[in-house]
Amino acid sequence: MAQYSRIEVASVMKETGMVPLFYNPDIELGKKVLKACYDGGARLMEFTARGDFAFEVFSELNKYAIKELPGMIMGVGSITDAGAASMFMQMGANFIVTPSLREDIAIACNRRKVLWSPGCGSLTEINRAEELGCEIIKLFPGSTYGPGFVSAIKGPQPWTSVMPTGGVSTEEANLKGWFNAGVTCVGMGSKLISKEIIASKDYAKLEKDVKATLALIKSIRK
């Protein structure tokens, strides 16, 4: 069962402005990454379930977060059907992120009042997602659409909350572009939790980078 309601998760997304994305089959490595992000101030983590037996890894990481990292909200991404969404919700996923708009996933998540964020790429898809109760839209792939797309849709639909994923980096100019366009938060994967950091196991650098990125986002949104 989820520890946090969809409204609580949406509030933390808006408050912190960033959702780190991460996947690795190594559970112990995952715990260290999770703790570094937590110590850096992140309070959300999207576990991108893309590998074999990913559910086993997520289960252990979520148990670790619940026991050792109070206030850390674990969710799961790269979910493509309601069956997978239901399985991860049974393991305590607090939010579900999808690469595309899937109404079966919306129904499964709404039934349990778990936040779901579908990948959308058109105003029609965004409207349909909101009709299905979506709180925060995932703009994916963000690099394809860019901040200009967000500005355009916020004109006629100022109520729409957007989280771009893909094409978001820790650079000030990049983050300014997105937040000045009106995004609610950003999803950030390899640009934050890089292959180099994982290879070198430099968790201190990861903590520092997370802290600096969150501070930058806060200063941009003032």
Side-chain angles (χ1 to χ4, degrees), residues 102-120:
R102 292 277 308 206
E103 297 195 11
D104 59 333
I105 293 176
I107 292 168
C109 291
N110 287 340
R111 185 178 293 125
R112 302 185 189 193
K113 295 190 177 180
V114 169
L115 184 138
W116 58 285
S117 185
C120 295

Side-chain angles (χ1 to χ4, degrees), residues 18 37-38 49 101 104 167 170 173 183 196 218-219:
M18 183 178 74
C37 289
Y38 181 83
L101 175 58
D104 59 333
T170 59
V183 302
E196 291 76 21
K218 185 176 181 179
S219 69

